[in-house]
């Protein structure tokens, strides 16, 4: 009963009745039966009933005596708990099961879902990053998520603190998917309980863990494989040299997905992982347009390919003009903080012209943004 790798290219037929679903859940929740073994048992024995009957003999052959499959009342209790939550149990092969996950050797065999499964039908992009993200990192994640949602993508993340929270918040209006490490009803961290509730109403929460499961360390790595597996690309916004976000990016590469990253200042350890990814070939991201141009615009009108994603200024600034504006802004700013709107009034320029230049200066580490939109020049 080893957890051998078994191809999920041809997923098993899903349950057709509630009673059949109960049998499948019993098999999946049985001791020493993971998704790969679940699929192998169904393939070898032809039916879920035969697979359940074969478990004790297989266990004895492996040296495990007195083996019992998951009791019916345990599986029934989980199904009833899901029903009370308004959750739906979707098995691999079901029409609602994400087809992208079928490419994975370690695809989950079933997912609990709360919310609108239609979000799984749109192109998906994962946004991940540091739990202890900077204010600039969370702002970038929120902006990327909002613009990707407006462009027709579903933003996927893991409901963690920092970048994940910002990504879900930014994409909430357009629809976002949160992949939970524990049960679909167990929100971690608890500070995201309200956000998780909103996602269930406006987006989708999913998990491959049993209802009521409190996450442990290994659950987060398993969650990451679902986050990246759902998506055509994973975008890393902030990540240290050794972090869970980098493991998610590595998982995406192993799954044959694209990896993109937002660069940061070389002296900032919080973005060292992103810079490493870019050095090693990840696509550099300056804004949502870079992601959309790489993946293709899902809302692009075939007959009007020249239509831009958003209104553009009549004339773009040249390099010389941009450099001059950099210099003027740095001259106006000093160690004493200044409000952004005050700076814009002082410059006598349009906010739409100043805002992207400020972002450039922040990314370059020349300007720091403090709480309340206060700006200061970095000494």
């Amino acid at each position: 009963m080893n957890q051998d790798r078994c191809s999920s290219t041809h997923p098993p037929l899903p349950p057709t009745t509630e009673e059949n679903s109960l049998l499948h859940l019993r098999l999946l929740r049985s001791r020493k039966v993971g998704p790969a073994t679940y699929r192998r048992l169904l393939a070898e024995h032809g039916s879920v009933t035969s697979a359940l009957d074969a478990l004790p003999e297989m266990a004895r052959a492996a040296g495990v005596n007195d083996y019992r499959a998951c009791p019916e009342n345990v599986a029934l209790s989980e199904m009833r708990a899901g029903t009370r939550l308004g959750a739906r149990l979707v098995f691999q092969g079901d029409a609602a099961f994400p087809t992208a996950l079928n490419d994975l050797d370690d695809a989950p065999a079933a997912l609990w879902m709360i919310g609108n499964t239609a979000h799984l039908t749109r192109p998906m992009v994962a946004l991940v990053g540091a739990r202890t993200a900077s204010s600039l990192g969370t702002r970038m994640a929120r902006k990327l998520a909002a613009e990707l949602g407006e462009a027709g993508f579903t933003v996927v993340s893991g409901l963690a603190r920092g970048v994940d929270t910002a990504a879900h918040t930014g994409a909430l209006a357009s629809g976002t998917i949160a992949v939970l490490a524990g049960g679909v009803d167990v929100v971690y961290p608890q500070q995201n309980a309200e956000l998780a509730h909103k996602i269930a109403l406006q987006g989708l929460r999913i998990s491959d863990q049993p209802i009521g499961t409190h996450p442990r360390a290994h659950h987060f790595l398993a969650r990451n494989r679902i986050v990246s597996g759902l998506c055509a690309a994973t975008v890393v916004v902030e990540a240290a040299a050794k972090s869970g976000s980098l493991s998610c990016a590595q998982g995406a590469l192993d799954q044959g997905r694209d990896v993109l990253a937002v660069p940061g200042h070389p002296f900032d350890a919080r973005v060292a992982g992103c810079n490493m990814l870019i050095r090693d070939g990840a696509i550099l991201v300056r804004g949502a347009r870079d992601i959309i141009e790489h993946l293709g615009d899902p809302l692009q009108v075939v007959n009007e390919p020249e239509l831009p994603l958003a209104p553009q200024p009549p004339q773009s600034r040249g390099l010389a003009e941009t450099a001059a504006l950099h210099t003027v802004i740095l001259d106006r700013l000093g160690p004493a903080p200044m409000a952004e709107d005050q700076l814009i009034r002082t410059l006598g320029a349009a906010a739409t012209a100043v805002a992207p230049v400020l972002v450039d200066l922040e990314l370059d580490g020349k300007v720091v943004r403090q709480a309340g939109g206060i700006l200061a020049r970095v000494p």
Side-chain angles (χ1 to χ4, degrees):
M1 302 181 67
N2 295 328
Q3 295 286 334
D4 56 327
R5 289 168 67 88
C6 178
S7 173
S8 58
T9 302
H10 302 289
L13 292 175
T16 55
T17 64
E18 185 174 346
E19 181 179 356
N20 201 223
S21 294
L22 181 63
L23 293 173
H24 278 261
L25 188 60
R26 285 187 60 203
L27 178 62
L28 183 60
R29 299 295 188 238
S30 293
R31 188 161 52 102
K32 294 187 177 295
V33 175
T37 302
Y38 165 88
R39 285 186 283 268
R40 179 169 60 82
L41 287 170
L42 289 178
E44 290 178 353
H45 296 279
S47 73
V48 64
T49 303
S50 298
L52 284 167
D53 292 341
L55 279 177
E57 182 58 38
M58 292 178 62
R60 278 192 293 272
V64 180
N65 297 317
D66 300 323
Y67 182 92
R68 292 182 61 205
C70 174
E72 179 177 329
N73 67 308
V74 172
L76 184 60
S77 176
E78 181 178 347
M79 292 190 71
R80 287 175 174 169
T83 300
R84 288 194 296 271
L85 289 167
R88 176 182 178 185
L89 181 60
V90 178
F91 285 89
Q92 190 179 24
D94 198 355
F97 191 88
T99 56
L101 295 181
N102 289 329
D103 296 338
L104 312 184
D105 289 337
D106 57 351
L111 294 167
W112 278 107
M113 303 184 180
I114 299 179
N116 185 357
T117 58
H119 294 298
L120 290 165
T121 63
R122 297 196 303 170
M124 289 175 272
V125 175
L127 277 184
V128 299
R131 288 176 170 83
T132 56
S134 66
S135 59
L136 182 58
T138 54
R139 179 185 174 193
M140 183 67 166
R142 194 160 44 244
K143 188 172 189 297
L144 287 175
E147 293 181 359
L148 287 170
E150 291 171 0
F153 290 95
T154 295
V155 172
V156 181
S157 200
L159 200 63
R161 288 186 292 269
V163 167
D164 288 19
T165 298
H168 289 306
T169 303
L172 195 59
S174 57
T176 182
I177 296 176
V179 184
L180 278 65
V184 74
D185 59 325
V186 179
V187 177
Y188 180 86
Q190 187 56 38
Q191 69 190 55
N192 276 346
E194 183 179 353
L195 176 60
H197 176 69
K198 291 178 180 178
I199 292 173
L201 295 176
Q202 299 174 247
L204 183 67
R205 289 189 347 228
I206 66 175
S207 172
D208 65 337
Q209 297 299 320
I211 297 288
T213 299
H214 288 268
R216 298 182 178 180
H218 67 278
H219 291 145
F220 291 95
L221 293 176
R223 175 205 62 187
N224 287 348
R225 89 188 192 282
I226 298 177
V227 170
S228 58
L230 284 170
C231 303
T234 292
V235 181
V236 185
V237 177
E238 263 188 4
K242 294 182 180 180
S243 64
S245 301
L246 281 195
S247 72
C248 189
Q250 183 58 55
L253 291 172
D254 293 342
Q255 294 165 343
R257 275 48 169 171
D258 294 338
V259 173
L260 302 87
V262 176
H265 195 281
F267 289 167
D268 190 345
R270 291 173 299 192
V271 297
C274 291
N275 291 339
M276 288 167 54
L277 288 172
I278 294 169
R279 178 200 65 191
D280 295 339
I283 304 298
L284 186 147
V285 172
R286 299 162 298 175
R289 182 170 292 278
D290 288 334
I291 304 171
I292 296 167
E293 288 179 352
H294 178 71
L295 294 177
D297 178 7
L299 296 183
Q300 187 175 19
V301 180
V302 175
N303 293 329
E304 298 178 20
E306 73 283 359
L307 186 65
L309 294 174
Q312 300 296 306
Q315 294 181 341
S316 58
R317 293 190 312 274
L319 291 177
E321 185 180 350
T322 299
L325 190 52
H326 279 212
T327 302
V328 172
I329 290 175
L330 292 175
D331 287 343
R332 293 291 191 278
L333 290 175
M338 178 184 291
E340 181 174 349
D341 57 354
Q342 181 184 350
L343 172 65
I344 293 172
R345 287 196 301 270
T346 301
L347 294 172
T352 53
V354 177
V357 176
L358 286 174
V359 172
D360 289 342
L361 291 172
E362 289 179 77
L363 290 173
D364 288 341
K366 296 177 180 178
V367 169
V368 62
R369 182 180 298 273
Q370 301 171 1
I374 304 299
L375 303 168
R377 182 173 178 174
V378 176

